Amino acid sequence: MSTIAVLGAGPIGAGIAHTLARRARVRDVRLIDAAATVAAGKALDIRQTGPVEGYDTRLSGIGDPLAAVGADVIVVADTHADGEWEGDRGLALIRQLVAAGASGPFVFAGPKQTWLMEAVVRELGIASDRVVGTAAVAMVTAARALAGLEVNGSGADVALAMCGKPPALTVAWSSATIGGSLLTDRVPSHRVLAISQQLKKLWPPGPYAIATASAPVVEGLIASTRRDTPGVTVLNGEFGQRGVACLLPLTLGKGRVLSRIVPSLSPQERTDVVNSLR
């Protein structure tokens, strides 16, 4: 069991802390925010729901960001007062943590943090396999749900991949399946296009969707799993690019991205992905 630090007690950060606690696969969650009383109050609220929801994960609210240094995974979320950690403000925070000795992977949960992910690799020299983004992962679940509705079924029966630099995401419809059949054999092309257009209107995903998408990524980084997990990664040669953030299926474990998987794409889908990376 491991310790997770969540930087920010805003809606995203608090949602992730609650989701991780409820799933009960980590030992300790530290909710960290300069507004220490807010962080402590939200941690207490989450902790008090434990007996009702059946978990006993330890939670604490802390005001000092350096409390994240020893965590097994550091989640970069949103503060109570100023919203997402992003831009130069976010970069300064990560620089402070790295200088203090933080060695665990960073999970960037906010939908505005794509530049920050790239910057910590480019400017701070953090290895790209120690950096994962999760907001875009919520869009994969949304695409599965919408596709399932097209056949009056469940998104659980839909298998698909999404690629691209958020928010310009491309669904690999050509290789998607529903119940073992190609999705394009069951859903007319005009409806596939309609889903793609609808997905563009769903960005950015809300805090609860991000929290639900983030928890499996955090857990995958801690404990090796044979199941691939979508996540935003900083490319290391895929699509001929380096240092650019892109949503891909990932193999996670041992505190890092073990491999990046480029899904089967049609020529047009691949062109769309490459264009998003420029």
Side-chain angles (χ1 to χ4, degrees):
M1 302 292 277
S2 304
T3 298
I4 311 302
V6 181
L7 295 171
I12 296 174
I16 291 172
H18 189 187
T19 302
L20 287 170
R22 187 173 61 242
R23 290 166 67 94
R25 295 172 186 171
V26 301
R27 180 191 64 210
D28 182 23
V29 178
R30 301 172 186 171
L31 189 58
I32 302 171
D33 198 291
T37 55
V38 173
K42 291 189 177 184
L44 177 61
D45 284 346
I46 297 168
R47 194 163 63 244
Q48 288 177 333
T49 66
V52 178
E53 297 187 358
Y55 63 81
D56 61 355
T57 308
R58 291 190 302 220
L59 289 107
S60 55
I62 305 172
D64 184 2
L66 293 182
V69 169
D72 296 281
V73 178
I74 300 173
V75 180
V76 185
D78 56 340
T79 66
H80 170 70
D82 300 315
E84 288 182 43
W85 285 106
E86 58 174 318
D88 291 335
R89 183 174 69 99
L91 188 61
L93 173 67
I94 306 302
R95 181 180 285 111
Q96 180 185 15
L97 295 175
V98 171
S103 58
F106 289 91
V107 172
F108 292 87
K112 299 177 182 178
Q113 293 174 346
T114 303
W115 177 88
L116 180 57
M117 285 185 60
E118 297 172 345
V120 300
V121 173
R122 179 179 64 250
E123 299 185 27
L124 302 185
I126 296 176
S128 60
D129 62 5
R130 287 179 52 204
V131 175
V132 185
T134 56
V137 178
M139 302 302 291
V140 179
T141 304
R144 292 174 60 200
L146 291 173
L149 289 173
E150 291 295 323
V151 295
N152 195 30
S154 168
D157 297 325
V158 178
L160 56 77
M162 295 182 74
C163 303
K165 183 174 181 176
L169 302 174
T170 297
V171 183
W173 293 118
S174 60
S175 58
T177 63
I178 299 180
S181 301
L182 282 174
L183 183 144
T184 51
D185 289 343
R186 300 185 61 182
V187 180
S189 57
H190 71 280
R191 291 305 307 159
V192 171
L193 178 60
I195 296 172
S196 295
Q197 294 300 318
Q198 187 172 356
L199 286 170
K200 294 177 182 179
K201 300 176 183 178
L202 298 180
W203 183 269
Y208 184 80
I210 293 174
T212 302
S214 298
V217 172
V218 172
E219 294 162 0
L221 287 166
I222 294 169
S224 297
T225 174
R226 290 177 293 179
R227 183 173 184 177
D228 296 328
T229 304
V232 179
T233 183
V234 178
L235 298 179
N236 190 26
E238 297 81 9
F239 298 106
Q241 297 284 342
R242 295 182 184 274
V244 181
C246 181
L247 176 64
L248 283 176
L250 307 175
T251 303
L252 304 173
K254 301 179 181 179
R256 61 190 180 90
V257 176
L258 297 174
S259 65
R260 302 169 180 85
I261 302 159
V262 177
S264 297
L265 300 167
S266 70
Q268 183 59 57
E269 290 165 352
R270 186 176 184 87
T271 297
D272 291 341
V273 172
V274 170
N275 287 339
S276 77
L277 302 175
R278 291 174 177 169

